[in-house]
Each structure stands twice: as structure tokens, then as C-alpha cells.
Amino acid sequence: MSKIEIPHVDKELDLSNAGRGVWLVKVPKYIANKWEKAPGNIEVGKLKISKVPGQKAQVSLALSEAVINLDPAEKIPKDHRLDVSVVTKQTLGVFSHVVPGKSDEVVPESEKLFMEGRIVQKLECRPYADNCYMKLKLESIKKASQPVRRVQSLEKIVHNYKPVSDHKHNIEYKERKKTEGKKARDDKNAVQDMLFNAFEKHQYYNIKDLVKITRQPIGYLKEILKEVCDYNMKNPHKNMWELKKEYRHYKTEEKKEEVPLSDSDSN
């Protein structure tokens, strides 16, 4: 199948508000949840800035009664202070992306990008440690301490339990076993012949290589190996199998044992 290539289109960025300074405010989660639930036609709070000559400006936030009463069962603090810090070593900006309604075009021409301003101050909203806030924290601690799983005793036998579906790796393993076929035990003498032929080529083998060569179950193969081979427990051939002395018959040894006949022997 051919991939659909979406053409790259450069879009213009509106920088008319690039010189405007904006605030980056971090609010507690309970305030963010209230604001998300609030409709767009109500006042969510009031921001108050108090300036005293020779001192740092004091910023406070008071939530509106409409926001607080969105969920009367959940009581949250109304008054908060905002700790202000100036952004000096970072360049942060706020951007907006205006996307029009659905269109048949891949990239609508009316799509617009705006820079809303440059962040000049960071503010962190903190509640006052009053009774309302302490109760809110206590409830959140209780919820966090509740276990996710619970043990429930059953008075009657339940018959609607369903078996757990087989895992993917188990299914793949079963299919692979069917494809490869189960390794069958060959005749013991035939397996020994395969081992002798293999040890004529190399003196030492590990168990994995011998399984590949003989295609025998590893338990059955080890039984035969213990009869005709020694298992090395020390270096330099640790964890390797080698034929027992009585079965060793290497070609190199044959060449060493062959002694050429001299002229005196030919007589």
C-alpha cells in the first residue's frame, strides 16, 4: 500500500502581541478541577495586587462563590496567596492555534497561529493553612490510603466467572511447537553415532550445540552423554562435554601414532 504524503505548508505566525508580558500561574489541582467544570459565563475569581512603596507587590486570589458552590459537598479554600518569581534565564512564550471547522482540504488556508505574549513572571498559588484547607488535605490523604483492591466475602456460589484468555506469548509458543514438531527420541546407538561423528570434528561441545546437532530432547541426550562423555568443571573448557578417554579417536592422534617405515624395516 502506498503512503499518502501530506504536503508541508508554511504558516504565518501573528506576532502583533509578541511584546506583551503575560503571567504563568500554577494553581492547585482542586482549583483546576473547579474551573474545568465552570461554565463560560460566570466569574471564577478575583485577582488583587497590593503595592506598598519600597516593598514587593502582594498578589492574592479570591475564588467566586459561584465556583465554590459548583459542588457543595466538596469544600475548598476561597482565599489564596500567589508567590511571584521573575523569569530571567528563560525565554517562554504563549501561543494559540486557531483551527476552523472541518474541511475537505488537507491544510485549510484559514488556519492561524498567534503569539499571545512573552512570559515575564511565574506565580504559584498557595492556600492559607486554615481549617477548610486542613480538612481538604485530610480527605485527600484518606482517599490515597485506601487500597485499590478489596477482599470481599461471598455468601453464595457465583457461577458467572469466565476463564482468563490465553496470553499472546503462550499462543505463539504453541504455534511454534506445532510448526517445528515435537522432538522424538531416536535409537540410542544412532544418537551415539551422531555424537562420535561430531566429536571427530571438535574435541569440546556445549549442550546447546549438541542438542542442535542431534535434535534430541535435552534430558534424553544428557543420559547418553554421561555414558560416553566427561563434563568439564574447570577452565579452560568449563561447562563443555568431551569424549571419555576410551572413546577418543581423533584424526590428529592417528597422524601422531603413524610412524613412517625406515629402509631397515622394509627388508
Side-chain angles (χ1 to χ4, degrees), residues 79-174:
D79 297 318
H80 301 74
R81 73 176 190 274
L82 282 82
D83 297 336
V84 183
S85 61
V86 180
V87 179
T88 56
K89 297 182 179 180
Q90 288 181 307
T91 302
L92 304 175
V94 178
F95 299 87
S96 62
H97 184 201
V98 179
V99 180
K102 293 183 179 180
S103 174
D104 295 335
E105 299 178 0
V106 177
V107 181
E109 293 182 358
S110 56
E111 188 176 2
K112 297 180 180 180
L113 300 174
F114 298 90
M115 183 174 183
E116 300 295 343
R118 182 173 57 88
I119 296 175
V120 294
Q121 286 184 332
K122 291 182 179 181
L123 294 90
E124 188 166 356
C125 183
R126 298 180 182 274
Y128 295 101
D130 54 7
N131 291 333
C132 182
Y133 176 71
M134 299 307 293
K135 289 180 180 179
L136 181 66
K137 288 298 294 181
L138 182 60
E139 290 296 327
S140 63
I141 293 172
K142 288 181 179 180
K143 289 181 181 179
S145 63
Q146 291 179 356
V148 179
R149 298 181 179 181
R150 296 183 179 180
V151 178
Q152 183 179 359
S153 61
L154 301 176
E155 297 179 356
K156 297 181 181 180
I157 299 175
V158 180
H159 298 284
N160 59 352
Y161 286 116
K162 295 181 180 180
V164 179
S165 59
D166 203 355
H167 296 287
K168 182 180 178 181
H169 62 273
N170 289 338
I171 298 174
E172 293 176 353
Y173 175 77
K174 292 176 182 178

Side-chain angles (χ1 to χ4, degrees), residues 218-251:
I218 188 169
Y220 177 60
L221 180 60
K222 283 184 176 181
E223 293 178 2
I224 300 176
L225 285 172
K226 290 177 181 179
E227 295 181 8
V228 299
C229 294
D230 291 327
Y231 185 70
N232 292 295
M233 300 294 290
K234 298 181 181 180
N235 290 326
H237 303 291
K238 188 177 181 180
N239 301 330
M240 305 284 281
W241 292 89
E242 179 187 14
L243 283 177
K244 291 183 177 181
K245 293 182 179 180
E246 57 266 30
Y247 296 109
R248 294 176 191 173
H249 184 68
Y250 304 117
K251 294 180 179 180

